[in-house]
Amino acid sequence: LDYGTSSGYRLTLARSLARSSNTNLELSYLGIDDLDSYSRVVDPGNLDSFLRAGVPNAEQFRNAYSHTAYGKTRLHAFEVNTRRYCATRRGWMASALAGFRYMHIDDDFMFLSNDSDPAVNAEDIGLYAVGTENNLVGGQIGGSLANQCTCKFSTGVKLKTGIFANFNEQRGRFLNVPAPAPATADLHSKHSSTSLSAVIETGLFANYQFSRCVGLRAGYDVFIIDGLALTANQLDYTANQFQGQSFVNDNSSLVFYGPTVGLWVNW
């Protein structure tokens, strides 16, 4: 599965803690919706799968007409931080940050096996689906370093990192329907665990100030999240009486990266 690209959005509100203070309180939201993928192969009567053996009544996954795989990932994050600015020599400006962040990451996978042409009989199917949820809660520290290249243009680098408690869960479903007969298997599973996850957010940025209150910001961001339960590591290749994995595998990593552009306004 090739997940390609998806758009995301961030909104940050910051307020100085005092009129003459160089310390801000920041509230921020980040969302990346429906980073998805789709792949299909058709070879009537000749397609086998990793579920072809071991699962009772799994004939819809053998000698199939077509196989289709879907994947989808979503991320939503909220954070509250305090940031203190400190001007240094020769146009450099540094900041230090500390705060808390909550991240919610959904990952879904579905494998569909059509035993016959779906245009003729769309209900003659085998379905194997796995979904995971990760809820990360914890503290973070970081900062930024920027250089005022001209009176209107500046560039810099930023970094945030933290250790988070990850309350995760995985759900599985196995369905075998040899239509027009009723389903020979419709099994569900659900498991949860708690683990530790590490998050690193870094990037480069540039600001262009149109006026004292309005400017344009562009850059390149990278998110590295380790210690996640993702569907690729939950798939049960050796199921006997299928109940899905009897545990949650939370050793996966996820990387988001890409260019950013936005507007900032001071008042």
Side-chain angles (χ1 to χ4, degrees):
L1 292 175
D2 181 7
Y3 280 82
T5 61
S6 179
S7 60
Y9 37 91
R10 186 203 303 266
L11 174 66
T12 299
L13 301 175
R15 180 175 177 84
S16 178
L17 296 180
R19 183 176 295 273
S20 59
S21 173
N22 57 357
T23 302
N24 287 352
L25 177 66
E26 298 180 354
L27 302 176
S28 186
Y29 167 75
L30 171 70
I32 300 176
D33 277 330
D34 296 345
L35 183 65
D36 52 21
S37 182
Y38 165 89
S39 182
R40 185 169 188 254
V41 60
V42 177
D43 190 5
N46 295 316
L47 295 176
D48 279 340
S49 73
F50 64 92
L51 291 170
R52 69 178 307 277
V55 182
N57 302 315
E59 65 271 15
Q60 305 309 101
F61 293 93
R62 297 191 294 268
N63 304 319
Y65 178 92
S66 65
H67 283 164
T68 308
Y70 304 87
K72 179 179 291 188
T73 304
R74 295 170 296 275
L75 179 148
H76 299 281
F78 301 86
E79 56 186 302
V80 54
N81 303 295
T82 57
R83 184 187 297 271
R84 184 173 180 85
Y85 289 93
C86 178
T88 61
R89 296 180 179 180
R90 298 181 181 179
W92 289 92
M93 174 72 76
S95 75
L97 172 147
F100 296 91
R101 175 180 267 180
Y102 166 74
M103 304 181 74
H104 179 82
I105 300 171
D106 279 336
D107 192 39
D108 295 306
F109 172 81
M110 185 176 74
F111 178 69
L112 179 64
S113 179
N114 289 95
D115 205 42
S116 57
D117 187 348
V120 177
N121 191 346
E123 297 181 353
D124 189 15
I125 62 169
L127 173 68
Y128 178 46
V130 177
T132 63
E133 291 186 10
N134 297 265
N135 294 284
L136 283 66
V137 181
Q140 61 182 4
I141 58 174
S144 64
L145 181 64
N147 180 252
Q148 193 71 37
C149 303
T150 69
C151 62
K152 292 188 175 183
F153 181 73
S154 63
T155 61
V157 61
K158 62 180 182 179
L159 174 68
K160 296 178 189 175
T161 185
I163 300 295
F164 295 76
N166 183 4
F167 304 93
N168 51 58
E169 178 183 281
Q170 66 106 329
R171 307 167 307 279
R173 185 187 185 190
F174 176 82
L175 176 66
N176 194 87
V177 185
T184 59
D186 190 359
L187 305 171
H188 297 260
S189 66
K190 182 178 179 180
H191 300 282
S192 59
S193 72
T194 303
S195 60
L196 291 179
S197 296
V199 178
I200 298 175
E201 176 188 348
T202 187
L204 304 173
F205 62 87
N207 286 317
Y208 184 83
Q209 192 167 343
F210 296 109
S211 67
R212 187 169 90 52
C213 297
V214 179
L216 182 68
R217 184 183 182 98
Y220 196 91
D221 285 2
V222 178
F223 285 82
I224 303 173
I225 310 171
D226 188 45
L228 295 176
L230 300 180
T231 55
N233 283 339
Q234 315 305 321
L235 303 183
D236 193 348
Y237 294 95
T238 59
N240 293 312
Q241 304 297 317
F242 176 82
Q243 294 297 321
Q245 296 280 20
S246 60
F247 58 90
V248 180
N249 187 326
D250 51 22
N251 296 318
S252 298
S253 298
L254 192 60
V255 179
F256 295 95
Y257 55 90
T260 64
V261 62
L263 188 71
W264 57 263
V265 178
N266 291 334
W267 72 95

